[in-house]
Amino acid sequence: MCTGRRGGWMRGERHGSARRGGAWGGGGGGGRGGGGRAGLTPCPAPPPAPVGSRVGLRSPVMASKLLRAVVLGPPGSGKGTMCEKIARSFGLQHLSSGQFLRENLGGEVGVLAKQYLERGLLVPDHVITRVMMSELEKRRDQPWLLDGFPRTLGQAEALDRICELDLVISLNIPFETLKDRLSARWVHPASGRVYNMDFNPPHVQGIDDLTGEPLVQREDDKPEAVAARLRKYKDAAKPVIELYKSRGILHSFSGTETNKIWPYVYTLLSSKIPPILSDEEN
């Protein structure tokens, strides 16, 4: 168990919530031990790296253990930032559902997804599931970290059919913090880059730093829509969290800042696979 630290308090127990009643978003609680499930065969491990080789950041498939993990959290919880830190530190591929959707916009499924993305709406289960299953099938023998999938029980059940997860991290962020973050969030639609006008603003207001193209605020990031969006996420995510809790693979962390949650997540991951960067290097 992780103990307190100045500036934040988190706990990452195998069956435990991060802080009782202290954060919005669910997670934690008691559950059955063990992560095995009848009818599922763990994916085969990749061959070991040559003696003396060093796992590099540009070769995430060479992570020394075939770990499959998911980061769950409501919109604005910092899932993307957390996944980037994990990927750099542990040599895992960061697989973003949003990125896969953008890469597939030219295909049949992408055309359908684009109708939702342009309106700032969540892509329906059957569309995002088709995209993700296709991408994950290509990576059967690789370690990875999922960001933005699964969001619903249907998506979690689809994921079950192709692989068994080793670890699920749930980020529990206070409701008011999420509202503030989302209301100040602007995005570059083509790349998915996210800016926060309070703590990560663009160099020129309303303009993407890299392309010079205009930023937009998603319809569901506007203040009047944020509360409804967060409630919708909570309702959809609750059975997913309960599912992984019952399997004993859920680890919950509470806080208001990613950098203060990160040391506890790093400690948890270090108990599963060897890091390729120290906590301080990330």
Side-chain angles (χ1 to χ4, degrees), residues 140-193:
R140 277 189 172 271
D141 299 325
Q142 301 172 12
W144 42 248
L145 177 69
L146 278 180
D147 167 13
F149 187 90
R151 293 177 183 267
T152 68
L153 187 58
Q155 292 175 7
E157 291 170 344
L159 184 58
D160 273 351
R161 290 193 285 272
I162 67 167
C163 200
E164 182 173 5
L165 292 177
D166 300 295
L167 178 69
V168 177
I169 293 170
S170 178
L171 302 178
N172 300 330
I173 312 299
F175 186 80
E176 290 301 320
T177 299
L178 294 173
K179 286 204 302 182
D180 291 343
R181 285 183 185 178
L182 292 173
S183 298
R185 188 163 76 167
W186 289 70
V187 301
H188 178 240
S191 68
R193 276 187 292 279

Side-chain angles (χ1 to χ4, degrees), residues 47-266:
V51 174
S53 65
R54 185 179 186 275
V55 180
L57 290 180
R58 297 303 178 185
S59 304
V61 296
M62 294 177 63
S64 62
K65 180 179 179 182
L66 191 63
L67 184 85
R68 272 70 182 278
V70 167
V71 176
L72 300 176
S77 61
K79 294 187 300 297
T81 301
M82 185 63 73
C83 286
E84 289 170 4
K85 284 178 170 287
I86 294 173
R88 285 196 301 267
S89 293
F90 294 93
L92 298 176
Q93 291 185 90
H94 174 193
L95 306 183
S96 164
S97 60
Q99 183 61 35
F100 284 148
L101 282 173
R102 287 186 289 273
E103 291 173 356
N104 284 275
L105 287 182
E108 177 187 348
V109 177
V111 171
L112 183 58
K114 189 175 182 180
Q115 300 174 17
Y116 295 89
L117 293 173
E118 288 179 341
R119 296 158 58 194
L121 302 174
L122 287 178
V123 177
D125 262 22
H126 69 281
V127 178
I128 184 63
T129 298
R130 280 181 62 184
V131 171
M132 295 304 294
M133 293 304 100
S134 173
E135 295 292 340
L136 292 175
E137 284 285 356
K138 302 172 187 176
R139 297 167 171 81
R140 277 189 172 271
D141 299 325
Q142 301 172 12
W144 42 248
L145 177 69
L146 278 180
D147 167 13
F149 187 90
R151 293 177 183 267
T152 68
L153 187 58
Q155 292 175 7
E157 291 170 344
L159 184 58
D160 273 351
R161 290 193 285 272
I162 67 167
C163 200
E164 182 173 5
L165 292 177
D166 300 295
L167 178 69
V168 177
I169 293 170
S170 178
L171 302 178
N172 300 330
I173 312 299
F175 186 80
E176 290 301 320
T177 299
L178 294 173
K179 286 204 302 182
D180 291 343
R181 285 183 185 178
L182 292 173
S183 298
R185 188 163 76 167
W186 289 70
V187 301
H188 178 240
S191 68
R193 276 187 292 279
V194 177
Y195 297 87
N196 185 287
M197 296 306 164
D198 293 332
F199 57 81
N200 179 37
H203 297 316
V204 178
Q205 186 170 357
I207 300 298
D208 178 53
D209 289 346
L210 299 186
T211 66
E213 295 172 346
L215 303 176
V216 301
Q217 186 172 45
R218 292 173 38 157
E219 288 297 322
D220 56 359
D221 280 346
K222 293 180 179 178
E224 60 272 18
V226 165
R229 181 183 178 192
L230 292 176
R231 284 194 297 269
K232 184 176 181 180
Y233 169 84
K234 185 176 181 180
D235 291 342
K238 184 176 180 180
V240 179
I241 289 172
E242 291 300 321
L243 174 68
Y244 294 137
K245 180 176 66 177
S246 73
R247 293 177 181 169
I249 60 173
L250 181 75
H251 300 257
S252 298
F253 299 87
S254 296
T256 58
E257 297 178 36
T258 300
N259 286 339
K260 292 178 181 176
I261 297 175
W262 166 244
Y264 302 98
V265 174
Y266 182 90

